[in-house]
Amino acid sequence: MSTLRSADAITRIFELSTAERYDIFLTEVTENAQVWTLKGEGGFVSFSDDEGLDYFPFWSAAEFANTLANDDWSDCQPEPLPLTVFMERWLIGMADDDRLVAVFPALDGSCMVSDPLSLRDDLIATAQQLNLDLVTHNSKDAHTGQ
């Protein structure tokens, strides 16, 4: 489990490039076996872009999600999701529903946008690199149910 970061450390991480934050996300989520999102009275947060594409935001730690609990999301609180649930239910369901993942959004709105199944594959690859065992099926089998 990661330790809480100082406000300065959180700010420095949010100032990193989207690719650097994506790498942090992959490593921390895999090591801690959980992902964080925001949840309010209306459910889990999501947003749409000008083209009508739907996104769900996720972070690697509660303090990052909490930093974005402002403005439109001011009634929201960080909500943890077990990594296996995220990979098997959320990412598969998002792919089926043609939704995208906003990985590690920052206050300026920048984030890495990912196809859910690509993110799932990256999480599996990261787990393999870190010699961690994820209880999951390969992407093709989990997606097709075969």
Side-chain angles (χ1 to χ4, degrees):
M1 187 70 54
S2 64
T3 59
L4 290 179
R5 296 172 177 92
S6 70
D8 287 342
I10 292 169
T11 299
R12 282 192 303 276
I13 291 171
F14 275 127
E15 290 172 347
L16 295 172
S17 71
T18 58
E20 290 169 312
R21 292 196 317 268
Y22 187 79
D23 289 341
I24 289 170
F25 177 88
L26 292 174
T27 301
E28 290 186 359
V29 163
T30 304
E31 287 176 344
N32 296 323
Q34 73 180 6
V35 63
W36 290 85
T37 190
L38 290 171
K39 186 177 182 182
E41 290 181 22
F44 292 99
V45 300
S46 66
F47 60 93
S48 299
D49 65 13
D50 294 337
E51 297 172 12
L53 296 172
D54 295 324
Y55 302 84
F56 282 87
F58 297 98
W59 296 268
S60 61
E63 58 263 29
F64 298 124
N66 193 54
T67 300
L68 275 284
N70 58 30
D71 298 327
D72 290 341
W73 298 339
S74 61
D75 69 324
C76 298
Q77 298 294 318
E79 181 78 17
L81 299 170
L83 183 56
T84 54
V85 170
F86 178 65
M87 292 176 68
E88 295 303 323
R89 294 187 194 155
W90 279 77
L91 294 178
I92 301 299
M94 289 174 65
D96 289 344
D97 294 339
D98 294 321
R99 294 187 169 141
L100 297 170
V101 183
V103 179
F104 216 132
L107 288 167
D108 66 2
S110 66
C111 66
M112 179 70 75
V113 173
S114 178
D115 167 78
L117 298 181
S118 296
L119 174 58
R120 190 174 184 282
D121 290 343
D122 288 347
L123 287 165
I124 291 169
T126 299
Q128 290 170 343
Q129 289 172 352
L130 297 173
N131 293 318
L132 297 172
D133 183 29
L134 293 181
V135 180
T136 186
H137 307 287
N138 71 43
S139 295
K140 182 178 177 184
D141 290 346
H143 184 64
T144 62
Q146 298 177 6

